[in-house]
Structure formats: structure tokens, C-alpha cells
Amino acid sequence: MRRSVSIAVLTVTLVIGIGTITIGQNSLLAGAQQKPETTEVKIDNFSFGPETLTIPVGTTVTWTNRDDIPHTVVSTDGVFKSKVLDTDEKFSFTFSKAGTYAYFCSIHPKMTGKVVVQ
Ligand SMILES: [Cu+2]
């Protein structure tokens, strides 16, 4: 009984330890990089990546079609709308107001994404 308790404690300690190291590395990386004012969303394999993007107000987001199939980027609320993007074509939009902006591909409506502006 005692033994299983100490194993449990050891496991928890290890998990917390690994978590702390991971968080530490992430903040180190974040500190080393300049805060970008332009952020890229890649369109590939019928999906937007990242699917949810969180950015500060004033950020320009550029979508790039890395797929070999045409796609579009269309805001659900009509805030922005790209033309049909062929392979390697880009579309940019600057988000000047906070809010959550859902969007989709009008050719493949199952392709959806979201930009959260804070
Ligand atoms: Cu599409």
C-alpha cells in the first residue's frame, strides 16, 4: 500500500517536472522571437493551419494556398473574402477590431477556420 502511494507521488512529481520544463522552453522560445505583426495560415490538404489563430489587434494574417487544389478564404460574417487562390497564391487581411472571425472555403464549405483577435 505504502509503496503504491510513493510510486503515485513519484509519477505526479515527474509529470509536473516535465510540464515545467516544457513550459520553460516555450517561454524561452517566445522570448527569443520577435513578435510578428504578420501571421501566416497555410492552406494544405483541405484544411487551414492553424485552424484557430489567436492574434493581437492590428495583425495582418496572410493565407497561403499550399495545396494543389484551388481554395478560398471567406469570412462567415462577410468581413473578408478572397478570390479563388491557386497553388502558392496568397490572401491577406488586417484585423483592426477585436473579436472572433469564423471563416471557410466557399469551394469546400467543410473547410473551416477561426481567427481570434484580442
Ligand atoms: Cu477549399
Side-chain angles (χ1 to χ4, degrees):
M1 189 59 187
R2 236 173 174 228
R3 198 188 187 119
S4 63
V5 168
S6 42
I7 287 171
V9 168
L10 189 67
T11 308
V12 168
T13 311
L14 265 175
V15 168
I16 291 171
I18 290 166
T20 309
I21 290 167
T22 310
I23 290 165
Q25 282 175 343
N26 280 346
S27 33
L28 268 180
L29 277 175
Q33 284 172 341
Q34 277 274 325
K35 219 178 190 181
E37 287 186 8
T38 301
T39 308
E40 201 186 6
V41 175
K42 289 191 177 81
I43 309 171
D44 202 0
N45 199 23
F46 291 91
S47 59
F48 297 104
E51 203 179 332
T52 300
L53 180 69
T54 304
I55 52 165
V57 171
T59 305
T60 299
V61 177
T62 300
W63 285 264
T64 305
N65 186 5
R66 300 280 186 217
D67 216 341
D68 47 11
I69 283 163
H71 295 291
T72 65
V73 180
V74 180
S75 153
T76 308
D77 301 318
V79 180
F80 51 87
K81 185 179 186 209
S82 77
K83 66 180 183 83
V84 175
L85 303 173
D86 286 322
T87 303
D88 288 335
E89 286 195 310
K90 293 170 193 280
F91 169 71
S92 294
F93 185 80
T94 303
F95 292 87
S96 50
K97 269 172 76 178
T100 299
Y101 300 83
Y103 64 89
F104 62 102
C105 168
S106 60
I107 305 169
H108 316 101
K110 280 190 178 160
M111 290 174 62
T112 59
K114 194 162 57 172
V115 178
V116 179
V117 182
Q118 292 175 332

